């Protein structure tokens, strides 16, 4: 009887571990999918590549920032993409990386730091999983000039 109880307890522990690992596997798959979306964004920034940016951003996403006079600034995707026209394809010097990532259900938040020779940007990206794909639906950012 003790062997049956021990075996039953072992099966419960094993089943619990399998469920936990299955959830972890799903979470890591979602994290990989979020990272892939953000990597499209980072590639678009690094290479001034609007097509890569379009792979990352929901078409109605907005970009928000604080203007020089302390007011709320806002860009639509269309306006932001136009700003890349003069440098399309040019590779930017700098280190762009994901520094934080959190996922809850079909929502994710990602912090990105962009360290360029003359400036540093910090982006906070809001992502949602829509139609089976992760999209950046909102971006807020701040920037600072570096002293030379």
């Amino acid at each position: 009887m003790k062997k049956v109880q021990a075996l039953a307890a072992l099966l419960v522990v094993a089943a619990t571990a399998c469920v936990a690992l299955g959830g972890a596997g799903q979470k890591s798959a979602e994290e990989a999918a979020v990272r892939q979306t953000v990597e499209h964004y980072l590639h678009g920034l690094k290479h001034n590549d609007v097509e890569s940016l379009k792979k990352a951003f929901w078409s109605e996403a907005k970009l928000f920032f604080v203007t020089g006079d302390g007011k709320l600034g806002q860009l639509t995707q269309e306006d932001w993409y136009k700003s890349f026209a003069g440098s399309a394809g040019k590779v930017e010097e700098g280190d762009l990386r994901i520094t934080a990532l959190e996922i809850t259900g079909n929502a994710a938040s990602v912090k990105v730091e962009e360290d360029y020779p003359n400036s540093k940007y910090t982006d906070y990206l809001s992502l949602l999983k829509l139609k089976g794909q992760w999209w950046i639906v909102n971006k807020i950012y701040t920037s600072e000039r570096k002293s030379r």
Side-chain angles (χ1 to χ4, degrees):
M1 184 65 166
K2 287 187 178 186
K3 286 182 180 180
V4 171
Q5 288 175 336
L7 181 58
L10 182 62
L11 288 173
V12 168
V13 170
T16 303
C18 286
V19 169
L21 288 175
Q26 182 180 2
K27 185 173 181 178
S28 70
E30 291 299 332
E31 182 176 325
V34 168
R35 285 183 180 277
Q36 180 180 15
T37 297
V38 177
E39 288 299 329
H40 286 305
Y41 166 62
L42 296 177
H43 182 272
L45 291 177
K46 183 81 172 172
H47 298 273
N48 288 286
D49 179 6
V50 170
E51 291 309 310
S52 287
L53 296 171
K54 287 180 178 180
K55 290 178 184 177
F57 280 87
W58 187 253
S59 61
E60 297 173 41
K62 300 263 188 319
L63 289 73
F64 296 97
F65 54 96
V66 178
T67 64
D69 60 355
K71 295 181 181 173
L72 178 64
Q74 180 179 166
L75 287 171
T76 64
Q77 290 302 298
E78 184 178 331
D79 289 338
W80 188 48
Y81 294 153
K82 287 178 186 176
S83 71
F84 289 90
S87 54
K90 177 184 174 235
V91 178
E92 299 290 339
E93 289 183 46
D95 180 34
L96 290 65
R97 66 188 180 284
I98 296 170
T99 58
L101 186 152
E102 188 168 331
I103 302 169
T104 305
N106 62 359
S109 178
V110 177
K111 180 180 177 184
V112 169
E113 292 182 359
E114 305 158 35
D115 192 4
Y116 298 104
N118 298 319
S119 61
K120 180 178 179 181
Y121 287 78
T122 303
D123 301 341
Y124 295 92
L125 308 173
S126 298
L127 293 89
L128 292 173
K129 190 172 186 180
L130 300 163
K131 300 180 182 179
Q133 183 175 340
W134 287 97
W135 295 95
I136 299 169
V137 296
N138 189 54
K139 169 184 166 176
I140 63 171
Y141 69 94
T142 187
S143 65
E144 57 188 71
R145 287 266 177 230
K146 291 182 179 178
S147 57
R148 292 182 183 195

Short mmCIF file of all heavy atoms in Angstrom, two decimals, residues 1 4 13 25 38 49-50 67 69 73 75 91 100 134 139:
data_model
loop_
_atom_site.label_atom_id
_atom_site.label_comp_id
_atom_site.label_asym_id
_atom_site.label_seq_id
_atom_site.Cartn_x
_atom_site.Cartn_y
_atom_site.Cartn_z
N MET A 1 0.82 -1.20 0.00
CA MET A 1 0.00 0.00 0.00
C MET A 1 0.86 1.25 0.00
O MET A 1 0.54 2.22 -0.67
CB MET A 1 -0.94 -0.07 1.22
CG MET A 1 -1.91 1.08 1.29
SD MET A 1 -3.03 0.99 -0.09
CE MET A 1 -4.25 2.11 0.40
N VAL A 4 2.08 2.05 -3.42
CA VAL A 4 1.06 2.66 -4.27
C VAL A 4 0.92 4.14 -3.93
O VAL A 4 0.84 5.00 -4.82
CB VAL A 4 -0.29 1.92 -4.11
CG1 VAL A 4 -1.41 2.68 -4.81
CG2 VAL A 4 -0.19 0.51 -4.62
N VAL A 13 3.53 14.81 -8.49
CA VAL A 13 4.67 15.72 -8.63
C VAL A 13 5.10 15.81 -10.08
O VAL A 13 5.34 16.90 -10.61
CB VAL A 13 5.85 15.27 -7.72
CG1 VAL A 13 7.11 16.05 -8.04
CG2 VAL A 13 5.47 15.42 -6.26
N GLY A 25 7.16 26.75 -21.35
CA GLY A 25 7.47 26.66 -22.77
C GLY A 25 6.60 27.60 -23.58
O GLY A 25 7.06 28.24 -24.52
N VAL A 38 9.91 43.22 -31.69
CA VAL A 38 10.76 44.34 -31.27
C VAL A 38 12.05 44.35 -32.08
O VAL A 38 12.58 45.43 -32.39
CB VAL A 38 11.01 44.31 -29.75
CG1 VAL A 38 11.96 45.42 -29.34
CG2 VAL A 38 9.69 44.43 -29.00
N ASP A 49 14.91 51.71 -41.99
CA ASP A 49 14.16 50.83 -42.86
C ASP A 49 12.68 50.84 -42.46
O ASP A 49 12.27 50.16 -41.51
CB ASP A 49 14.74 49.42 -42.76
CG ASP A 49 14.02 48.40 -43.61
OD1 ASP A 49 13.11 48.77 -44.39
OD2 ASP A 49 14.35 47.21 -43.50
N VAL A 50 11.88 51.60 -43.18
CA VAL A 50 10.47 51.75 -42.87
C VAL A 50 9.72 50.43 -43.00
O VAL A 50 8.82 50.13 -42.22
CB VAL A 50 9.83 52.85 -43.76
CG1 VAL A 50 8.31 52.86 -43.62
CG2 VAL A 50 10.40 54.21 -43.40
N THR A 67 7.56 67.51 -25.60
CA THR A 67 8.24 68.48 -26.46
C THR A 67 9.20 69.33 -25.64
O THR A 67 9.19 69.31 -24.41
CB THR A 67 7.21 69.40 -27.16
OG1 THR A 67 6.54 70.16 -26.16
CG2 THR A 67 6.22 68.60 -27.99
N ASP A 69 9.12 72.37 -24.99
CA ASP A 69 8.44 73.32 -24.10
C ASP A 69 7.53 72.62 -23.09
O ASP A 69 6.67 73.26 -22.48
CB ASP A 69 7.68 74.38 -24.89
CG ASP A 69 6.61 73.79 -25.80
OD1 ASP A 69 6.50 72.56 -25.90
OD2 ASP A 69 5.89 74.59 -26.42
N GLY A 73 3.79 65.73 -27.12
CA GLY A 73 3.99 65.62 -28.55
C GLY A 73 3.46 64.28 -29.03
O GLY A 73 3.44 63.31 -28.28
N LEU A 75 3.12 61.69 -32.72
CA LEU A 75 3.34 61.41 -34.13
C LEU A 75 2.48 60.24 -34.55
O LEU A 75 2.36 59.25 -33.82
CB LEU A 75 4.80 61.03 -34.40
CG LEU A 75 5.85 62.13 -34.33
CD1 LEU A 75 7.25 61.52 -34.40
CD2 LEU A 75 5.65 63.11 -35.47
N VAL A 91 22.93 53.05 -42.25
CA VAL A 91 23.10 52.35 -40.99
C VAL A 91 23.54 53.35 -39.92
O VAL A 91 24.50 54.08 -40.10
CB VAL A 91 24.13 51.20 -41.11
CG1 VAL A 91 24.33 50.52 -39.77
CG2 VAL A 91 23.68 50.20 -42.15
N ALA A 100 14.21 45.40 -20.87
CA ALA A 100 13.18 44.80 -20.01
C ALA A 100 12.03 44.33 -20.89
O ALA A 100 11.74 44.94 -21.92
CB ALA A 100 12.68 45.80 -18.97
N TRP A 134 2.02 39.61 -32.51
CA TRP A 134 2.34 40.71 -31.61
C TRP A 134 2.61 41.97 -32.41
O TRP A 134 3.36 41.93 -33.40
CB TRP A 134 3.56 40.36 -30.76
CG TRP A 134 3.23 39.34 -29.71
CD1 TRP A 134 3.44 38.00 -29.78
CD2 TRP A 134 2.63 39.60 -28.44
NE1 TRP A 134 2.99 37.39 -28.63
CE2 TRP A 134 2.49 38.35 -27.79
CE3 TRP A 134 2.19 40.75 -27.78
CZ2 TRP A 134 1.94 38.23 -26.52
CZ3 TRP A 134 1.65 40.63 -26.53
CH2 TRP A 134 1.52 39.38 -25.91
N LYS A 139 3.94 53.77 -28.40
CA LYS A 139 5.34 54.01 -28.01
C LYS A 139 5.40 55.36 -27.31
O LYS A 139 4.90 56.35 -27.84
CB LYS A 139 6.24 54.02 -29.25
CG LYS A 139 7.66 54.51 -28.99
CD LYS A 139 8.48 54.59 -30.27
CE LYS A 139 9.74 55.39 -30.07
NZ LYS A 139 10.60 55.42 -31.26
#
